[in-house]
Amino acid sequence: MTVIDFHTHLDEYWFGRPMLDRDRFLAGMDRCSVSKACIFTLRGFSGDCRRHNDALAAHARTTPDRLIPFVTVDPKEGDAAVRELHRCLSDPIFRGIKFHSWLQAFAPSMVRQTMLDILQCAAEHEVPVFFHDGTPPYATTFQIAALARWAPRATIVLGHAGLADYVQPAAELARDLPNLYACPCGPKAGDIAHLVQTAGAHKVLFGSDFGFADWPLLAERLDDVLEAGLNEVDLSKVMCGNASRLLRLEPS
Amino acid sequence: MATNNRIIDAHAMLGVENHLAMEVDELLRRMDVYGIEAAVARPMGAELVIDFVAGNDRLLSTPNRIFAWVTANPWAGVRALDELERCRDRGAVGLFLHPARQGFMPTEPMVVPLLEQATNFNWPVMFHTGTYVNADVLAVVELARRYPSVAFVAGFGGFADMWFEMPGAMAEVENLYLDLSMTWSAEIKQITTGSGADRVLYGSAEPRNRYPVTLRALDRLDLEGPQRQAILCDNVRRILKLP
């Protein structure tokens, strides 16, 4: 079965601890039979987005068939953030936008106009906008899902599908909002079965947070989905088909 | 998977809560498939919050392989204390509290009589942890300081985004234990290394999580034999005084 991991982090270190380098990252993907991974920054959430966006692009250029970089910007910077977004998305190697509004210290409503500009840019480039969700006060599932209503032409992804305490609303919101998707990175098998049953298998994307820890995390998150009791067709959509569609990947 | 050890599940759930449901027959079936000798289960949903007598009865009427974390809503006052006494007489082994669902802060005065009763019964107390505000891991640490003779278990180990408080919390107080049922393996490893394997309890969080997922996660840690035995069986037997 082909697997695309829609939620990983490839960076140098985090809180002073070294993270996986690219070779070890790819080795972890191999070990868990993951074909492609959307790669996000971590340190870029604290500033200097441009440098971290360029670093992700450089990683992807070494292995373009496997690593798919997502750009991040700081919406608190207003027009400068939108300019950085345009700069990155003019390079087709970038296939999505990543925000972690908890770590980046904004609620979307605090930066509404800039966020609307960002979502418009995302819609023009046909790239998904991926948000951490499930954590108050800046990243509740409701705060993130609201963006799908603000910009119906943009594709919004709940990066943790409600995480611990918001799974039930995440499932219903992904069902009710055509442009809202759920990436169950953290929710467990019982939750994932519910997400697929409620929102539909076409709205759920596998993601792991791999890179934040070594391959056992990836294996664990794969188990979460594999033990959810999905049928083969639904499993294939969750593991690969939906990601391929949102990323506009060529059929292999 | 971990088939060479006796395995006791320190945290399963029985009843119905939103999209999750588990009946005793299904739990026993899953336990048999994965070689789980015994499980300690707690109520969920309405049977945790309002109908806690019914929830406790559901647990206390199960076969011998399933032991009971019983609950009572602290807002019920004297009725809660009477219920815990009734449960003690019927063989309950510990107190489970869910501050987010039951609607209180762990340090609020209304909880004191329940904790004193647990102390008198020589029961451990498992708190749900990880939900912001009410189920703050560090609030349970405060209680562990106030009741040093009571074993407190951090149910769900701060899942999700209070996980990073757990290693420090475990270092702060010696009478706090990790329920690993929802915890990612890197954190289990960190806590096992930092605070010792005797502070970690294997739990499944069935029906939310699954036996194969939690057992494989533990396998990948490559723990030494005595550490595995402690986590999978010995700690929960000791703390809950199981046969």
Side-chain angles (χ1 to χ4, degrees):
Chain A
M1 179 177 52
T2 305
V3 178
I4 299 175
D5 190 336
F6 214 80
H7 186 167
T8 75
H9 296 274
L10 181 55
D11 212 327
E12 293 168 71
Y13 57 86
W14 181 240
F15 283 121
R17 290 186 189 169
M19 292 178 58
L20 305 181
D21 62 25
R22 188 174 61 238
D23 288 345
R24 233 174 125 186
F25 187 94
L26 289 166
M29 289 173 61
D30 289 340
R31 183 164 187 161
C32 296
S33 301
V34 170
S35 311
K36 300 177 193 293
C38 300
I39 53 173
F40 312 150
T41 183
L42 268 174
R43 293 168 63 222
F45 299 142
S46 320
D48 206 356
C49 296
R50 184 183 179 108
R51 183 163 69 85
H52 294 290
N53 291 332
D54 289 346
L56 287 174
H59 283 307
R61 281 187 227 293
T62 66
T63 327
D65 55 331
R66 303 199 68 189
L67 302 179
I68 302 167
F70 276 36
V71 51
T72 198
V73 296
D74 182 352
K76 299 192 299 297
E77 293 184 355
D79 290 345
V82 181
R83 283 197 298 277
E84 171 63 4
L85 192 62
H86 278 293
R87 180 187 77 89
C88 291
L89 292 180
S90 65
D91 181 343
I93 201 161
F94 284 101
R95 293 296 179 101
I97 305 168
K98 161 69 181 178
F99 287 107
H100 197 307
S101 51
W102 165 27
L103 295 179
Q104 291 181 293
F106 69 88
S109 55
M110 295 172 173
V111 289
R112 185 180 174 101
Q113 187 53 56
T114 303
M115 191 51 68
L116 286 169
D117 294 342
I118 286 168
L119 296 176
Q120 184 181 336
C121 178
E124 285 167 4
H125 285 86
E126 296 182 76
V127 296
V129 191
F130 188 103
F131 278 82
H132 172 94
D133 80 300
T135 311
Y138 293 152
T140 73
T141 299
F142 295 105
Q143 286 170 313
I144 305 308
L147 298 166
R149 290 195 172 95
W150 291 7
R153 287 180 54 235
T155 297
I156 310 295
V157 182
L158 299 168
H160 292 281
L163 197 50
D165 301 304
Y166 293 89
V167 170
Q168 183 266 335
E172 293 184 350
L173 289 160
R175 176 195 64 196
D176 295 343
L177 297 170
N179 57 332
L180 185 69
Y181 291 76
C183 177
C185 172
K188 305 302 180 188
D191 302 323
I192 293 168
H194 175 68
L195 284 158
V196 170
Q197 188 176 16
T198 304
H202 65 296
K203 299 298 283 293
V204 181
L205 309 152
F206 169 70
S208 72
D209 247 337
F210 174 54
F212 197 72
D214 210 338
W215 68 270
L217 175 62
L218 178 50
E220 233 170 279
R221 295 278 156 88
L222 285 165
D223 275 350
D224 289 334
V225 179
L226 294 172
E227 295 295 338
L230 306 183
N231 65 44
E232 256 181 59
V233 174
D234 286 352
L235 189 61
S236 173
K237 289 178 184 171
V238 171
M239 289 300 202
C240 173
N242 299 331
S244 274
R245 190 175 72 250
L246 293 194
L247 296 166
R248 292 177 294 117
L249 300 178
E250 301 291 330
S252 54
Chain B
M1 271 186 281
T3 51
N4 295 326
N5 296 84
R6 296 178 65 191
I7 305 172
I8 300 178
D9 174 4
H11 191 177
M13 297 173 265
L14 286 179
V16 180
E17 183 174 304
N18 291 329
H19 55 280
L20 303 173
M22 180 63 87
E23 295 292 334
V24 65
D25 289 348
E26 176 60 13
L27 180 62
L28 287 166
R29 188 191 69 77
R30 294 187 191 186
M31 289 166 64
D32 287 341
V33 170
Y34 295 101
I36 312 298
E37 180 178 309
V40 194
R42 52 92 164 174
M44 58 201 290
E47 291 181 345
L48 187 62
V49 183
I50 298 168
D51 302 328
F52 52 82
V53 174
N56 293 334
D57 279 341
R58 180 194 292 274
L59 290 157
L60 293 166
S61 59
T62 56
N64 291 338
R65 289 172 66 195
I66 299 180
F67 297 92
W69 288 109
V70 291
T71 195
N73 193 322
W75 288 97
V78 173
R79 200 158 55 84
L81 299 179
D82 291 344
E83 171 60 7
L84 295 184
E85 189 167 345
R86 183 185 77 92
C87 292
R88 189 270 314 264
D89 294 343
R90 291 191 59 191
V93 295
L95 171 63
F96 177 82
L97 293 171
H98 196 308
R101 288 273 186 233
Q102 293 174 323
F104 63 91
M105 186 74 82
T107 52
E108 282 181 322
M110 77 177 85
V111 188
V112 169
L114 279 74
L115 295 175
E116 288 180 346
Q117 198 164 38
T119 309
N120 293 336
F121 292 171
N122 206 13
W123 275 356
V125 181
M126 178 187 281
F127 273 90
H128 166 83
T129 58
T131 306
Y132 283 101
V133 184
N134 294 75
D136 190 321
V137 168
L138 299 183
V140 180
V141 171
E142 283 306 307
L143 296 181
R145 285 197 185 94
R146 295 177 194 175
Y147 297 89
S149 68
V150 176
F152 288 89
V153 181
F156 286 6
F159 176 77
D161 276 331
M162 291 202 79
W163 63 269
F164 41 80
E165 297 293 350
M166 278 307 301
M170 300 282 289
E172 283 280 318
V173 285
E174 292 182 353
N175 53 330
L176 180 66
Y177 296 81
L178 169 71
D179 152 38
L180 63 70
S181 63
M182 299 287 276
T183 304
W184 56 321
S185 53
E187 184 191 346
I188 299 170
K189 184 79 172 179
Q190 184 181 357
I191 288 173
T192 302
T193 304
S195 295
D198 61 339
R199 304 276 299 282
V200 180
L201 308 180
Y202 169 72
S204 70
E206 287 274 8
R208 190 169 185 185
N209 207 341
R210 296 284 187 269
Y211 283 122
V213 176
T214 48
L215 290 171
R216 282 185 210 129
L218 207 52
D219 282 350
R220 292 187 197 103
L221 295 180
D222 288 329
L223 298 171
E224 293 171 7
Q227 289 181 313
R228 282 176 62 84
Q229 184 63 35
I231 292 171
L232 285 167
C233 178
D234 293 351
N235 297 339
V236 66
R237 282 187 68 205
R238 183 179 74 252
I239 293 162
L240 286 150
K241 302 164 198 70
L242 303 181

mmCIF file with all atom_site columns, all heavy atoms in Angstrom, chain A residues 1 6 14 88 148 173 185 195 222:
data_model
loop_
_atom_site.group_PDB
_atom_site.id
_atom_site.type_symbol
_atom_site.label_atom_id
_atom_site.label_alt_id
_atom_site.label_comp_id
_atom_site.label_asym_id
_atom_site.label_entity_id
_atom_site.label_seq_id
_atom_site.pdbx_PDB_ins_code
_atom_site.Cartn_x
_atom_site.Cartn_y
_atom_site.Cartn_z
_atom_site.occupancy
_atom_site.B_iso_or_equiv
_atom_site.pdbx_formal_charge
_atom_site.auth_seq_id
_atom_site.auth_comp_id
_atom_site.auth_asym_id
_atom_site.auth_atom_id
_atom_site.pdbx_PDB_model_num
ATOM 1  N N   . MET A 1 1   ? 0.839   -1.198 0.000  1.00 0.00 ? 1   MET A N   1
ATOM 2  C CA  . MET A 1 1   ? 0.000   0.000  0.000  1.00 0.00 ? 1   MET A CA  1
ATOM 3  C C   . MET A 1 1   ? 0.878   1.255  0.000  1.00 0.00 ? 1   MET A C   1
ATOM 4  O O   . MET A 1 1   ? 1.817   1.361  0.783  1.00 0.00 ? 1   MET A O   1
ATOM 5  C CB  . MET A 1 1   ? -0.876  -0.007 1.256  1.00 0.00 ? 1   MET A CB  1
ATOM 6  C CG  . MET A 1 1   ? -1.780  1.195  1.377  1.00 0.00 ? 1   MET A CG  1
ATOM 7  S SD  . MET A 1 1   ? -2.858  1.107  2.819  1.00 0.00 ? 1   MET A SD  1
ATOM 8  C CE  . MET A 1 1   ? -1.699  0.773  4.130  1.00 0.00 ? 1   MET A CE  1
ATOM 9  N N   . PHE A 1 6   ? 1.180   13.218 5.493  1.00 0.00 ? 6   PHE A N   1
ATOM 10 C CA  . PHE A 1 6   ? 0.837   14.621 5.245  1.00 0.00 ? 6   PHE A CA  1
ATOM 11 C C   . PHE A 1 6   ? 1.318   15.550 6.359  1.00 0.00 ? 6   PHE A C   1
ATOM 12 O O   . PHE A 1 6   ? 1.073   16.756 6.306  1.00 0.00 ? 6   PHE A O   1
ATOM 13 C CB  . PHE A 1 6   ? -0.693  14.727 5.106  1.00 0.00 ? 6   PHE A CB  1
ATOM 14 C CG  . PHE A 1 6   ? -1.161  15.773 4.129  1.00 0.00 ? 6   PHE A CG  1
ATOM 15 C CD1 . PHE A 1 6   ? -1.165  15.515 2.768  1.00 0.00 ? 6   PHE A CD1 1
ATOM 16 C CD2 . PHE A 1 6   ? -1.605  17.012 4.548  1.00 0.00 ? 6   PHE A CD2 1
ATOM 17 C CE1 . PHE A 1 6   ? -1.598  16.467 1.857  1.00 0.00 ? 6   PHE A CE1 1
ATOM 18 C CE2 . PHE A 1 6   ? -2.033  17.986 3.651  1.00 0.00 ? 6   PHE A CE2 1
ATOM 19 C CZ  . PHE A 1 6   ? -2.032  17.703 2.300  1.00 0.00 ? 6   PHE A CZ  1
ATOM 20 N N   . TRP A 1 14  ? 15.151  21.256 18.043 1.00 0.00 ? 14  TRP A N   1
ATOM 21 C CA  . TRP A 1 14  ? 13.940  21.780 18.658 1.00 0.00 ? 14  TRP A CA  1
ATOM 22 C C   . TRP A 1 14  ? 14.160  21.807 20.156 1.00 0.00 ? 14  TRP A C   1
ATOM 23 O O   . TRP A 1 14  ? 14.514  20.791 20.745 1.00 0.00 ? 14  TRP A O   1
ATOM 24 C CB  . TRP A 1 14  ? 12.740  20.887 18.307 1.00 0.00 ? 14  TRP A CB  1
ATOM 25 C CG  . TRP A 1 14  ? 11.425  21.342 18.876 1.00 0.00 ? 14  TRP A CG  1
ATOM 26 C CD1 . TRP A 1 14  ? 10.623  20.649 19.717 1.00 0.00 ? 14  TRP A CD1 1
ATOM 27 C CD2 . TRP A 1 14  ? 10.769  22.590 18.619 1.00 0.00 ? 14  TRP A CD2 1
ATOM 28 N NE1 . TRP A 1 14  ? 9.504   21.387 19.994 1.00 0.00 ? 14  TRP A NE1 1
ATOM 29 C CE2 . TRP A 1 14  ? 9.563   22.585 19.345 1.00 0.00 ? 14  TRP A CE2 1
ATOM 30 C CE3 . TRP A 1 14  ? 11.090  23.709 17.844 1.00 0.00 ? 14  TRP A CE3 1
ATOM 31 C CZ2 . TRP A 1 14  ? 8.679   23.664 19.326 1.00 0.00 ? 14  TRP A CZ2 1
ATOM 32 C CZ3 . TRP A 1 14  ? 10.205  24.778 17.829 1.00 0.00 ? 14  TRP A CZ3 1
ATOM 33 C CH2 . TRP A 1 14  ? 9.014   24.747 18.556 1.00 0.00 ? 14  TRP A CH2 1
ATOM 34 N N   . CYS A 1 88  ? 7.581   32.019 -2.287 1.00 0.00 ? 88  CYS A N   1
ATOM 35 C CA  . CYS A 1 88  ? 7.756   30.564 -2.199 1.00 0.00 ? 88  CYS A CA  1
ATOM 36 C C   . CYS A 1 88  ? 6.837   29.831 -3.168 1.00 0.00 ? 88  CYS A C   1
ATOM 37 O O   . CYS A 1 88  ? 7.266   28.894 -3.844 1.00 0.00 ? 88  CYS A O   1
ATOM 38 C CB  . CYS A 1 88  ? 7.501   30.086 -0.772 1.00 0.00 ? 88  CYS A CB  1
ATOM 39 S SG  . CYS A 1 88  ? 8.778   30.620 0.376  1.00 0.00 ? 88  CYS A SG  1
ATOM 40 N N   . ALA A 1 148 ? -12.234 27.866 7.057  1.00 0.00 ? 148 ALA A N   1
ATOM 41 C CA  . ALA A 1 148 ? -12.861 27.250 5.882  1.00 0.00 ? 148 ALA A CA  1
ATOM 42 C C   . ALA A 1 148 ? -14.117 28.015 5.480  1.00 0.00 ? 148 ALA A C   1
ATOM 43 O O   . ALA A 1 148 ? -14.496 28.039 4.304  1.00 0.00 ? 148 ALA A O   1
ATOM 44 C CB  . ALA A 1 148 ? -13.181 25.786 6.172  1.00 0.00 ? 148 ALA A CB  1
ATOM 45 N N   . LEU A 1 173 ? -17.344 19.003 11.632 1.00 0.00 ? 173 LEU A N   1
ATOM 46 C CA  . LEU A 1 173 ? -16.960 20.165 10.817 1.00 0.00 ? 173 LEU A CA  1
ATOM 47 C C   . LEU A 1 173 ? -16.386 19.720 9.469  1.00 0.00 ? 173 LEU A C   1
ATOM 48 O O   . LEU A 1 173 ? -16.680 20.317 8.429  1.00 0.00 ? 173 LEU A O   1
ATOM 49 C CB  . LEU A 1 173 ? -15.959 21.030 11.590 1.00 0.00 ? 173 LEU A CB  1
ATOM 50 C CG  . LEU A 1 173 ? -16.573 21.790 12.786 1.00 0.00 ? 173 LEU A CG  1
ATOM 51 C CD1 . LEU A 1 173 ? -15.490 22.222 13.779 1.00 0.00 ? 173 LEU A CD1 1
ATOM 52 C CD2 . LEU A 1 173 ? -17.380 22.987 12.301 1.00 0.00 ? 173 LEU A CD2 1
ATOM 53 N N   . CYS A 1 185 ? -3.540  13.056 13.260 1.00 0.00 ? 185 CYS A N   1
ATOM 54 C CA  . CYS A 1 185 ? -2.197  12.866 13.810 1.00 0.00 ? 185 CYS A CA  1
ATOM 55 C C   . CYS A 1 185 ? -2.327  13.046 15.330 1.00 0.00 ? 185 CYS A C   1
ATOM 56 O O   . CYS A 1 185 ? -2.349  14.173 15.818 1.00 0.00 ? 185 CYS A O   1
ATOM 57 C CB  . CYS A 1 185 ? -1.282  13.914 13.191 1.00 0.00 ? 185 CYS A CB  1
ATOM 58 S SG  . CYS A 1 185 ? 0.339   13.981 13.899 1.00 0.00 ? 185 CYS A SG  1
ATOM 59 N N   . LEU A 1 195 ? -14.006 9.492  12.741 1.00 0.00 ? 195 LEU A N   1
ATOM 60 C CA  . LEU A 1 195 ? -13.740 10.555 11.770 1.00 0.00 ? 195 LEU A CA  1
ATOM 61 C C   . LEU A 1 195 ? -14.102 10.101 10.359 1.00 0.00 ? 195 LEU A C   1
ATOM 62 O O   . LEU A 1 195 ? -14.746 10.842 9.600  1.00 0.00 ? 195 LEU A O   1
ATOM 63 C CB  . LEU A 1 195 ? -12.250 10.951 11.828 1.00 0.00 ? 195 LEU A CB  1
ATOM 64 C CG  . LEU A 1 195 ? -11.844 11.824 13.019 1.00 0.00 ? 195 LEU A CG  1
ATOM 65 C CD1 . LEU A 1 195 ? -10.350 11.702 13.291 1.00 0.00 ? 195 LEU A CD1 1
ATOM 66 C CD2 . LEU A 1 195 ? -12.207 13.288 12.755 1.00 0.00 ? 195 LEU A CD2 1
ATOM 67 N N   . LEU A 1 222 ? 0.982   5.049  12.180 1.00 0.00 ? 222 LEU A N   1
ATOM 68 C CA  . LEU A 1 222 ? 0.452   4.141  11.155 1.00 0.00 ? 222 LEU A CA  1
ATOM 69 C C   . LEU A 1 222 ? -0.452  3.106  11.805 1.00 0.00 ? 222 LEU A C   1
ATOM 70 O O   . LEU A 1 222 ? -1.538  2.793  11.302 1.00 0.00 ? 222 LEU A O   1
ATOM 71 C CB  . LEU A 1 222 ? 1.607   3.454  10.412 1.00 0.00 ? 222 LEU A CB  1
ATOM 72 C CG  . LEU A 1 222 ? 2.358   4.326  9.411  1.00 0.00 ? 222 LEU A CG  1
ATOM 73 C CD1 . LEU A 1 222 ? 3.683   3.681  9.017  1.00 0.00 ? 222 LEU A CD1 1
ATOM 74 C CD2 . LEU A 1 222 ? 1.513   4.571  8.150  1.00 0.00 ? 222 LEU A CD2 1
#
